[in-house]
Amino acid sequence: QCNFDGKDLSTTTLSGGLMNESTYRGTNMQEVVMSKAYAVGSDFSGADFTNAVVDRVFFAGANLSNAKFINAVITGTDFEGANLEGADFEDALIGNEDVKRICGNPTVLEDMRDIIGCR
């Protein structure tokens, strides 16, 4: 359980990170590489993942409200039970299965559903 609220973690490689039950509120995570990270129940509200690579991250039960995934690459990532209210996925490259998982999350706002490509 760590607190990285408001920190600048941009361009950091967080592969294999055990990030569960930690806080990253408002953290700059631009251009991070998160691969095979375990972030269950963590708080990323308002975090900025612009231009990040988010690959096989387990965000189950995490708070990602108002997080920015602008122009991010998202593959193999689990958002089950995560709060995605207000999350911004504009111009993100999202794998087909990831689109299905994100669209299945009831907290995704309607305008983002169109941008993500929910059917």
Side-chain angles (χ1 to χ4, degrees):
Q1 295 181 350
C2 299
N3 181 330
F4 290 95
D5 291 352
K7 302 287 187 211
D8 183 359
L9 299 179
S10 61
T11 70
T12 304
T13 299
L14 301 169
S15 296
L18 296 175
M19 305 166 72
N20 57 307
E21 302 296 330
S22 298
T23 61
Y24 301 85
R25 289 183 292 262
T27 299
N28 180 358
M29 301 188 81
Q30 293 182 14
E31 298 183 17
V32 300
V33 175
M34 281 180 82
S35 179
K36 296 184 180 180
Y38 186 76
V40 172
S42 290
D43 186 351
F44 291 92
S45 56
D48 187 352
F49 291 93
T50 298
N51 297 321
V53 174
V54 181
D55 175 51
R56 294 169 287 170
V57 177
F58 198 54
F59 281 126
N63 182 1
L64 293 154
S65 61
N66 299 308
K68 295 178 186 172
F69 290 95
I70 298 167
N71 204 45
V73 176
I74 301 170
T75 56
T77 296
D78 186 340
F79 292 98
E80 185 175 343
N83 179 358
L84 295 172
E85 186 175 350
D88 188 348
F89 293 94
E90 188 173 341
D91 294 327
L93 177 61
I94 305 172
N96 290 336
E97 291 303 312
D98 297 278
V99 167
K100 291 177 190 174
R101 284 190 287 270
I102 293 170
C103 292
N105 186 308
T107 64
V108 176
L109 299 179
E110 196 60 38
D111 61 334
M112 268 306 115
R113 290 183 177 283
D114 293 336
I115 289 171
I116 294 165
C118 299
R119 297 177 190 204

